[in-house]
Amino acid sequence: MNNFTSVTMFFLTGFSDVQEIQILHAVLFLLIYLAAVLGNVLIITLTSKDHRLHIPMYFFLKNLSFLDLCLISITVPKSIANSLANHTTISFLGCVSQVFFFILSATTEVSLLTVMSYDCYVAICHPLRYEVLMSHGACVQMAASSWVSGVLNAILHTASTFSIPVCGSPEAHQFFCDVPQLLSLACSYNTVELVVIGLSLVLDFGCFVFIDISYIHIFSTILRIPSREGRSRAFSTCLPHLTVVTLFLFSVFFCFFFAYLRPLPESPSPLDLLVSVFYTMVPPTVNPVIYSLRNKDMKMALKQLLKSRHCPSN
């Protein structure tokens, strides 16, 4: 029996050890990763450069894109490198970094999506007070609070996870350092980590309730708009956020169910790995598409950016 601190490296055995399958996995992950990086960097660039996008909605969207970029960059590049190099190891510090930054990004994203639902609520239900309630200072404070909640939760999870005694080989049946897999190496239940998980659930549930209440008021207000065109315009304003929230909460639900509400199998099934791939890679890759596909402001900003690249001013 040893503490995690005495372990120098971990073995990530989530995927097959057949070289051909590892190369296929690396190529697929690389394509998805490049798509996610391109989409999120593009949104960050557009919302930073175009002055028409310097409003609360796009300020929060820029933060969300940065979080998505972090979320997928924490786990995927290391998995690609391991597959191409045909090894499965990750150092102790590398594993700690993955746990810390993954939980930080995920927790901050939940809080930020809650703040974005409040932004939609104010825009639809209290448009005359929007500039007061969603001032630049208020937006910065709400974004900062989201990041602080992520940092605190990440510190608690990381400290409690890596303070437990481990039994047997430090082998995680996953393609990254996933907390449930690390906890499965423990010799006994970690009461502190269970308390931290409980606090995280309370935070997530509180955010979920707040988002639900916000959208109940939003839909109630939209249905009272007399013109069909007005209802359509108001609904399209919040549709991207509602889609992203649904996708992210769907991912969190499946992650929690497969990780905490059932015993972990000795060897992972394809479904287990598919769920892990889904909640670590799909939201960061799909979110830029959701926010850009039907957003006229984003399309106009992209056209302006491309035009400025092809026709630089003298």
Side-chain angles (χ1 to χ4, degrees):
M1 183 172 66
N2 300 301
N3 287 330
F4 266 121
T5 52
S6 64
V7 177
T8 58
M9 66 176 58
F10 293 89
F11 298 93
L12 306 177
T13 60
F15 290 107
S16 171
D17 55 358
V18 178
Q19 181 65 21
E20 290 77 11
I21 297 179
Q22 288 185 340
I23 293 176
L24 177 62
H25 144 247
V27 171
L28 291 176
F29 270 33
L30 180 61
L31 293 175
I32 296 173
Y33 179 68
L34 291 177
V37 169
L38 177 62
N40 286 292
V41 168
L42 184 61
I43 286 181
I44 294 172
T45 302
L46 293 178
T47 53
S48 299
K49 286 184 171 293
D50 198 311
H51 67 279
R52 292 168 299 183
L53 303 182
H54 292 174
I55 59 176
M57 171 184 172
Y58 295 107
F59 170 75
F60 294 129
L61 178 58
K62 178 164 61 175
N63 277 265
L64 181 66
S65 294
F66 181 75
L67 283 169
D68 283 336
L69 195 58
C70 294
L71 195 63
I72 197 169
S73 298
I74 293 162
T75 58
V76 173
K78 177 60 178 176
S79 180
I80 294 172
N82 277 358
S83 294
L84 293 177
N86 195 24
H87 65 74
T88 61
T89 58
I90 183 172
S91 67
F92 173 78
L93 289 179
C95 192
V96 171
S97 299
Q98 279 196 349
V99 170
F100 178 82
F101 287 108
F102 185 84
I103 294 176
L104 187 156
S105 300
T107 304
T108 306
E109 186 153 338
V110 172
S111 301
L112 190 65
L113 288 173
T114 306
V115 171
M116 293 175 75
S117 70
Y118 176 71
D119 176 59
C120 287
Y121 163 76
V122 176
I124 299 298
C125 301
H126 302 284
L128 298 180
R129 301 178 59 194
Y130 184 80
E131 292 187 3
V132 176
L133 295 175
M134 300 302 296
S135 64
H136 179 70
C139 292
V140 171
Q141 289 179 0
M142 287 186 279
S145 298
S146 300
W147 282 95
V148 169
S149 68
V151 170
L152 292 177
N153 195 32
I155 291 174
L156 290 174
H157 266 293
T158 307
S160 58
T161 298
F162 289 96
S163 63
I164 59 177
V166 295
C167 293
S169 173
E171 182 176 307
H173 300 298
Q174 193 53 275
F175 67 94
F176 67 102
C177 284
D178 196 20
V179 170
Q181 287 290 334
L182 295 176
L183 293 179
S184 69
L185 304 176
C187 300
S188 59
Y189 286 106
N190 183 6
T191 306
V192 176
E193 178 62 18
L194 292 177
V195 172
V196 172
I197 292 172
L199 292 174
S200 298
L201 286 177
V202 171
L203 174 64
D204 293 342
F205 183 74
C207 292
F208 176 73
V209 171
F210 188 92
I211 292 172
D212 281 349
I213 293 174
S214 297
Y215 272 99
I216 288 173
H217 286 286
I218 289 170
F219 290 143
S220 176
T221 302
I222 290 176
L223 292 176
R224 291 199 301 266
I225 298 176
S227 67
R228 182 176 180 180
E229 182 181 352
R231 289 195 300 269
S232 177
R233 188 184 302 113
F235 184 72
S236 63
T237 301
C238 296
L239 181 61
H241 175 262
L242 181 61
T243 306
V244 168
V245 167
T246 303
L247 177 64
F248 190 78
L249 292 180
F250 183 78
S251 304
V252 170
F253 170 77
F254 270 90
C255 166
F256 182 77
F257 174 79
F258 277 86
Y260 295 106
L261 296 185
R262 68 188 186 98
L264 291 175
E266 293 185 3
S267 60
S269 67
L271 182 60
D272 292 314
L273 293 176
L274 183 62
V275 169
S276 300
V277 171
F278 183 85
Y279 71 76
T280 56
M281 300 181 66
V282 172
T285 307
V286 175
N287 286 354
V289 179
I290 294 173
Y291 271 103
S292 304
L293 197 58
R294 297 183 57 179
N295 191 309
K296 294 181 181 179
D297 293 335
M298 295 291 291
K299 291 180 180 179
M300 191 177 299
L302 179 58
K303 290 179 181 179
Q304 190 67 30
L305 179 64
L306 295 176
K307 184 178 179 181
S308 65
R309 293 292 183 184
H310 288 293
C311 304
S313 56
N314 295 324

